[in-house]
Amino acid sequence: RYAYGADCTDYCPKEADNTPSKSRTYFERPTVRLVIGMESSLLVETTLSYLSEIGTSVVSFGASSTSLSPEKLKLKVRDPRFFRVIPDDSFEVQAIFDLLQHFKW
C-alpha cells in the first residue's frame, strides 16, 4: 500500500457502547513534476505516454533514439514532455559516415 503515496488511518477509541467512533482514511498521491535520469530510449518510450498524461516531464541523459525526436513524439504522444541532454543517434551516424568518406575507407 505504500508503493505510491501515503496511506494514513486515524483510529479513535471505541465509544462507551462499544461502537467505533469516527475513523478516517487518507490516501494522498504526491505530485511528481519531473523525472531525471532515464538512461535508455526503450525506458523512455515505454513510460513517456503515461508520464505525459499525468503532467510529468522527463529529462534523459542517455536516450538517443531518433524515434524520440520532437516531430515523431508528437505523432505518438498528445503532449510530449521529453527533454534530452545529448544529441540523437542520427548525428553519430552522420559523423561516422563523414569520417569514412574523408579517409576513403
Side-chain angles (χ1 to χ4, degrees):
R1 280 190 95 153
Y2 297 102
Y4 192 75
D7 185 10
C8 305
T9 305
D10 178 17
Y11 293 104
C12 299
K14 292 184 177 183
E15 300 293 333
D17 63 354
N18 213 19
T19 60
S21 62
K22 296 178 185 175
S23 67
R24 296 173 298 210
T25 301
Y26 304 96
F27 183 76
E28 191 176 313
R29 254 173 94 166
T31 304
V32 178
R33 297 283 182 214
L34 178 67
V35 174
I36 300 174
M38 289 192 181
E39 60 211 40
S40 75
S41 299
L42 181 61
L43 184 58
V44 171
E45 287 176 5
T46 56
T47 58
L48 186 61
S49 179
Y50 171 73
L51 291 173
S52 291
E53 286 296 319
I54 63 171
T56 301
S57 298
V58 176
V59 175
S60 174
F61 54 84
S64 59
S65 173
T66 56
S67 67
L68 296 171
S69 67
E71 300 81 25
K72 292 181 182 176
L73 277 179
K74 287 180 183 174
L75 299 174
K76 298 179 198 176
V77 180
R78 184 172 48 90
D79 181 23
R81 298 168 179 259
F82 173 67
F83 309 94
R84 59 175 150 202
V85 295
I86 62 168
D88 66 44
D89 291 335
S90 66
F91 291 98
E92 182 179 0
V93 170
Q94 185 62 47
I96 292 170
F97 179 75
D98 291 344
L99 283 172
L100 293 173
Q101 269 193 324
H102 177 76
F103 291 107
K104 297 179 176 47
W105 289 340

